[in-house]
Amino acid sequence: MGFSFSRIEEELRSERFGRYYDRLRRECPQLAPFHDPSSLLSFFHERNGDYLTKDLLLAFLVETCRRGGHDGLMAVLLLALFKPAIKAIFKLNRKRWRSLDGRDFVQDICLFLLEIIRETEIAPQKVASQIAGRLKNRTRGLINQKLRKERFEIAGEMESTPDNQPPSGNDDPAWAQSRPTWLSEEISDDGNWRGSLFTGGWDDDGFRITD
């Protein structure tokens, strides 16, 4: 539906964004060493230990976004900054729900991210980890809701199927006896997804999921 990270990257290279970024550097002294958006993103995405500077910079960017962010340009920068976290969350949930509409779900994640940044109280330490953790929880709730809806729809189809046959793709002969348990499961245990999914936390940078 029109969203792509390539368009975000194009916007970051535009003259309009360049002028906006120069204004940000004049407003925030900690941005001065980062001469363009690319160098700033590299700093955030690298595994280095300068967490204090990252917290200071991200807190400034979040506050600027809350003030309006100059026609949404700050939102563009923050989406690019959190791209690794967005991709990680997408991959985790794609495993849970194989019929997931990828394009719509990426947009949902991005909208959730901006809502969290604009509306949630965030402490000044480990800013990225706080945002990413809330984003993971919110998207997990969305997927849980969609999975429940899908299960209820399947259950309705099963009730109307002659001889109470299992849904397409389920040839387990024990299906009829185990049906109530199957309907109560959060998600199929195929591949041990339930045991391994979302068990890790976020690393100190807040952009990668740890085991």
Side-chain angles (χ1 to χ4, degrees), residues 106-143:
V106 168
Q107 291 189 101
D108 287 336
I109 298 173
C110 292
L111 288 173
F112 285 155
L113 172 67
L114 296 177
E115 287 175 1
I116 290 167
I117 288 172
R118 288 170 175 155
E119 302 170 4
T120 307
E121 187 70 25
I122 299 172
Q125 292 81 33
K126 296 188 176 181
V127 178
S129 295
Q130 293 177 70
I131 294 172
R134 291 187 174 104
L135 180 60
K136 182 181 70 173
N137 291 337
R138 190 171 293 191
T139 51
R140 177 169 50 187
L142 174 66
I143 292 300

Side-chain angles (χ1 to χ4, degrees), residues 4-207:
S4 72
F5 278 108
S6 62
R7 293 181 63 184
I8 286 178
E9 291 164 0
E10 289 176 7
E11 181 63 55
L12 292 175
R13 293 192 296 267
S14 69
E15 292 184 7
R16 180 175 73 144
F17 194 90
R19 291 191 296 270
Y20 175 61
Y21 186 76
D22 287 341
R23 196 180 81 184
L24 291 175
R25 291 179 68 216
R26 291 192 295 270
E27 187 177 344
C28 177
Q30 288 83 8
L31 274 175
F34 307 102
H35 300 289
D36 53 40
S38 178
S39 61
L40 178 65
L41 294 175
S42 295
F43 170 71
F44 271 104
H45 295 163
E46 289 172 355
R47 290 179 179 272
N48 61 60
D50 195 356
Y51 304 128
L52 176 60
T53 300
K54 289 183 177 181
D55 279 339
L56 289 172
L57 287 172
L58 188 51
F60 167 76
L61 298 179
V62 166
E63 180 57 32
T64 302
C65 184
R66 290 178 173 179
R67 295 200 309 262
H70 194 72
D71 298 329
L73 290 179
M74 179 54 71
V76 171
L77 179 59
L78 288 167
L79 287 172
L81 193 152
F82 279 94
K83 180 179 177 180
I86 293 169
K87 291 176 67 177
I89 289 172
F90 174 83
K91 289 179 180 178
L92 287 175
N93 285 283
R94 192 63 177 267
K95 291 178 180 179
R96 296 190 69 199
W97 190 19
R98 285 181 254 187
S99 60
L100 181 67
D101 185 316
R103 182 173 297 181
D104 284 349
F105 185 54
V106 168
Q107 291 189 101
D108 287 336
I109 298 173
C110 292
L111 288 173
F112 285 155
L113 172 67
L114 296 177
E115 287 175 1
I116 290 167
I117 288 172
R118 288 170 175 155
E119 302 170 4
T120 307
E121 187 70 25
I122 299 172
Q125 292 81 33
K126 296 188 176 181
V127 178
S129 295
Q130 293 177 70
I131 294 172
R134 291 187 174 104
L135 180 60
K136 182 181 70 173
N137 291 337
R138 190 171 293 191
T139 51
R140 177 169 50 187
L142 174 66
I143 292 300
N144 287 346
Q145 182 182 42
K146 291 180 179 294
L147 286 169
R148 284 194 294 269
K149 180 180 178 181
E150 187 175 84
R151 287 200 308 273
F152 290 143
E153 291 174 351
I154 292 173
E157 293 174 1
M158 290 189 299
E159 291 293 345
S160 62
T161 301
D163 300 324
N164 203 25
Q165 293 295 314
S168 176
N170 189 334
D171 56 359
D172 183 357
W175 175 83
Q177 291 81 5
S178 63
R179 180 182 169 206
T181 302
W182 178 78
L183 287 175
S184 68
E185 290 290 343
E186 191 64 36
I187 189 171
S188 169
D189 200 25
D190 184 23
N192 294 318
W193 288 342
R194 294 185 70 199
S196 62
L197 206 57
F198 299 119
T199 56
W202 292 92
D203 68 4
D204 287 333
D205 284 345
F207 301 110

